[in-house]
Amino acid sequence: MGWRQKLATQGITFDLTYTADGTKNLRGGLDTAGSTWRRIFEATINWDTKPLFGLEGGTVFVDFQDAQGSNPSDKLIGDVQGIDGLDGVPVAAHQNRTQVAQLWYQQTSPEGTWRIKVGKVDANSEFDRSAYGRQFLNQSTGSSSTLFTLPTYPDAATSINVFLKPTKELQLGLGVYDGSLAQGVRTSGLGPKTFFRRPDDLFLIGEADQTWKLGPQQLTGRLGVGGWYSTNKFDRIREGGGGPPEPAARTPCSTRRSGA
């Protein structure tokens, strides 16, 4: 038995991935002469608490990321949302980053009727998430562009998430996240201190998911309905441009499909 298999018997599994990506703009945008390259190294550890502590349903997850390179949205394209799930938020000051991207503990009931996840979480791994969208690079397939303050890659945030399953096919979820990303604060570098001290910059999100199976092949279907609310203040769009806007910062959304 190899050492990786021995760790697995103790409830510890891990993955190491390295991804390199290049972009060339052929027409329009900011630049058609140049090109951009970026790469990301990612190491994840998943720890089941039952083999070592006898605690059934407990999981510890750690995700380390090192990303380097230029964002083609800034250098070549000029778009707002981003063209590739590997990139950070366009126009962000710090595209390169070395960080503990996620660090959370999850507890699931023995019957699977409830689940609680606490820690630094990528919100897009739980909410506004499309399993089929994970197959595409374009940002728009990962999450709605209207969720521009969603605490997701590359800025996951401290949070408390609660999920209930009244039936096998229905899940109700609610998450409360550090929402200081809306003020231009990079939550990727923060711990829980702003989450507890700043109730005026929280991000709240909820979702109901209904699944079903149809036909002789039992094809799976899913319908998700949800909403979000940020306690931050934002610029108000005024018809005709009259009056000063309310002070706030706008942060475009960048999503990367999370494997957690």
Side-chain angles (χ1 to χ4, degrees):
M1 180 183 294
W3 61 274
R4 182 164 183 168
Q5 290 178 311
K6 291 180 180 179
L7 287 175
T9 61
Q10 297 298 315
I12 301 174
T13 57
F14 67 92
D15 286 291
L16 303 175
T17 60
Y18 181 88
T19 306
D21 202 351
T23 299
K24 174 73 175 178
N25 180 31
L26 301 179
R27 181 178 180 182
L30 301 177
D31 181 13
T32 57
S35 60
T36 62
W37 289 89
R38 59 271 196 219
R39 55 86 175 168
I40 182 171
F41 169 77
E42 191 164 20
T44 62
I45 300 176
N46 201 77
W47 183 9
D48 184 350
T49 60
K50 185 176 181 180
L52 285 180
F53 300 110
L55 179 59
E56 186 174 356
T59 304
V60 177
F61 180 78
V62 182
D63 181 4
F64 170 81
Q65 295 172 347
D66 178 66
Q68 305 291 328
S70 300
N71 192 331
S73 293
D74 298 337
K75 302 293 184 180
L76 306 177
I77 313 302
D79 64 299
V80 175
Q81 190 179 3
I83 65 166
D84 193 325
L86 195 66
D87 301 320
V89 179
V91 306
H94 303 283
Q95 290 294 336
N96 298 333
R97 59 184 55 82
T98 300
Q99 63 178 6
V100 177
Q102 295 191 76
L103 175 59
W104 47 257
Y105 175 78
Q106 176 177 273
Q107 182 64 51
T108 303
S109 69
E111 306 82 10
T113 55
W114 58 264
R115 178 167 59 94
I116 298 176
K117 181 186 284 189
V118 180
K120 189 177 182 182
V121 177
D122 184 334
N124 194 219
S125 67
E126 293 287 358
F127 299 96
D128 194 37
R129 180 174 180 268
S130 171
Y132 298 105
R134 294 160 59 90
Q135 305 175 39
F136 300 94
L137 289 176
N138 191 282
Q139 299 279 31
S140 298
T141 62
S143 178
S144 170
S145 60
T146 61
L147 273 170
F148 65 96
T149 59
L150 182 72
T152 185
Y153 173 86
D155 283 285
T158 303
S159 66
I160 300 174
N161 303 267
V162 179
F163 303 92
L164 302 176
K165 289 185 71 70
T167 67
K168 183 179 179 181
E169 296 80 16
L170 176 63
Q171 174 176 277
L172 306 175
L174 176 65
V176 181
Y177 287 76
D178 180 353
S180 56
L181 180 64
Q183 300 297 331
V185 178
R186 296 184 61 238
T187 54
S188 61
L190 295 178
K193 63 179 182 179
T194 58
F195 177 69
F196 292 109
R197 295 181 183 177
R198 296 284 300 275
D200 58 332
D201 60 5
L202 297 177
F203 180 91
L204 295 82
I205 188 167
E207 186 171 299
D209 288 288
Q210 179 72 41
T211 60
W212 59 85
K213 294 184 181 295
L214 292 178
Q217 296 182 335
Q218 291 292 283
L219 300 178
T220 301
R222 171 180 171 267
L223 173 65
V225 179
W228 64 276
Y229 178 79
S230 175
T231 61
N232 290 272
K233 292 184 179 181
F234 300 91
D235 293 342
R236 185 180 299 277
I237 300 176
R238 300 178 184 272
E239 185 177 356
E246 297 178 4
R250 292 176 180 265
T251 305
C253 175
S254 177
T255 59
R256 176 172 177 268
R257 273 63 68 193
S258 172

